[in-house]
Amino acid sequence: MEYNFNSIEQKWQDRWRTEETYKVSEDSSKEKFYVLDMFPYPSGAGLHVGHPLGYIASDVYARYMRLKGYNVLHPMGYDSFGIPTEQYAIETGIHPAVATEKNVARYREQLDKIGFSFDWSREVRTSNPDYYRWTQWIFKQLFNSYYCQDTDKAKAVEELENCFSQEGNAHINACCEEGIASFTAAEWNAWTDEEQQAMLLNYRLAFLSDAWVNWCEGLGTVLANDEVKDGVSERGGVPVEQKLMR
């Protein structure tokens, strides 16, 4: 018998969509299981063969765990913020917001045709302010915290400032930059605000420092190691150099 994939697959995909078959809700009677895929960059005209290569394997596993009785969360999203999208905009002359929306629609169409069991109600787009506001929030929590070794947890920098103003740093058991000299409360209170903030940078979980980075002049940014191949940027093939930067 001929397998009429156009009608059969469309029928079932429509039913999955209508009945929200793969939408996940909290269910304490089932053991939880999380299957997370790499989010694709929506910076091209569509998926490449490497996308379904990985997604098919994880989708098979997600379906298997559902059949085993687990409450499976299997979301999908788009890594739509950063160099890939910027480079696509430069190459095509299309605004990143416009290109991202168009490419996301194309990616979604292709992913749906393959028939993956994603919970699309949990879709993530990293270029969405509702998403990246939390990455900014997390950074602020790191910047405004220090690590207390007595309690073995992060605590507010304000607590550290109060200790410094009352007893200096001689008895503070906190993670900090090596070689920090001891100072008294009198010395701390005599410092300017700029000097106090400079000292606090030695204790904050997020801090300023000089470091060797992959600097790409042509892209105007620092690149991660996996964004550099044979001395040039993976996106655009622009020369990359090691540079000591603040």
Side-chain angles (χ1 to χ4, degrees):
M1 183 187 299
E2 181 183 354
Y3 173 55
N4 190 335
F5 59 88
N6 281 321
S7 62
I8 294 174
E9 294 189 13
Q10 189 64 55
K11 168 192 171 182
W12 287 104
Q13 288 173 20
D14 288 343
R15 179 167 174 175
W16 295 341
R17 189 178 304 108
T18 301
E19 297 183 0
E20 297 184 322
T21 301
Y22 301 114
K23 186 175 181 178
V24 184
S25 58
E26 287 71 19
D27 185 349
S28 59
S29 68
K30 294 182 177 181
E31 189 171 351
K32 296 181 288 186
F33 199 81
Y34 186 33
V35 181
L36 179 64
D37 286 298
M38 179 192 74
F39 294 164
Y41 298 117
S43 55
L47 298 173
H48 59 71
V49 69
H51 289 118
L53 181 67
Y55 298 158
I56 289 171
S58 55
D59 196 67
V60 168
Y61 195 47
R63 291 174 183 272
Y64 170 73
M65 295 305 289
R66 286 192 196 94
L67 292 172
K68 294 271 285 184
Y70 287 82
N71 192 29
V72 178
L73 173 59
H74 187 31
M76 179 46 72
Y78 304 97
D79 192 359
S80 50
F81 207 128
I83 293 174
T85 308
E86 292 172 5
Q87 280 301 107
Y88 184 76
I90 292 170
E91 293 166 5
T92 62
I94 302 172
H95 191 281
V98 175
T100 296
E101 194 65 35
K102 179 181 177 181
N103 292 337
V104 162
R106 175 59 174 158
Y107 278 41
R108 174 63 187 274
E109 178 188 13
Q110 292 178 306
L111 290 168
D112 283 345
K113 283 183 176 179
I114 298 173
F116 291 121
S117 60
F118 297 132
D119 178 1
W120 285 108
S121 69
R122 311 265 184 155
E123 178 190 310
V124 168
R125 298 186 189 185
T126 60
S127 56
N128 188 323
D130 288 339
Y131 174 86
Y132 66 71
R133 70 185 289 262
W134 292 111
T135 62
Q136 296 175 336
W137 178 86
I138 290 169
F139 179 84
K140 289 176 69 176
Q141 307 315 302
L142 294 170
F143 185 74
N144 292 320
S145 301
Y146 78 100
Y147 196 78
C148 176
Q149 299 192 98
D150 289 330
T151 59
D152 197 27
K153 65 179 182 179
K155 303 180 76 171
V157 163
E158 285 79 5
E159 294 184 24
L160 196 60
E161 292 183 89
N162 290 334
C163 289
F164 288 168
S165 66
Q166 296 174 25
E167 56 184 85
N169 72 339
H171 304 294
I172 300 296
N173 187 18
C175 289
C176 63
E177 192 73 24
E178 291 184 7
I180 298 299
S182 295
F183 56 84
T184 64
E187 290 174 318
W188 168 265
N189 293 318
W191 288 347
T192 65
D193 181 65
E194 184 176 356
E195 290 171 327
Q196 290 179 351
Q197 293 304 318
M199 177 57 67
L200 286 174
L201 278 178
N202 295 301
Y203 290 86
R204 295 181 187 270
L205 296 185
F207 53 89
L208 279 168
S209 67
D210 294 318
W212 288 98
V213 296
N214 299 314
W215 171 249
C216 183
E217 183 70 30
L219 297 180
T221 188
V222 170
L223 300 179
N225 290 336
D226 59 7
E227 294 174 312
V228 182
K229 186 175 182 180
D230 298 327
V232 298
S233 62
E234 188 178 36
R235 292 276 174 164
V238 184
V240 176
E241 63 175 317
Q242 285 284 300
K243 190 174 183 179
L244 187 65
M245 295 185 72
R246 188 69 164 163

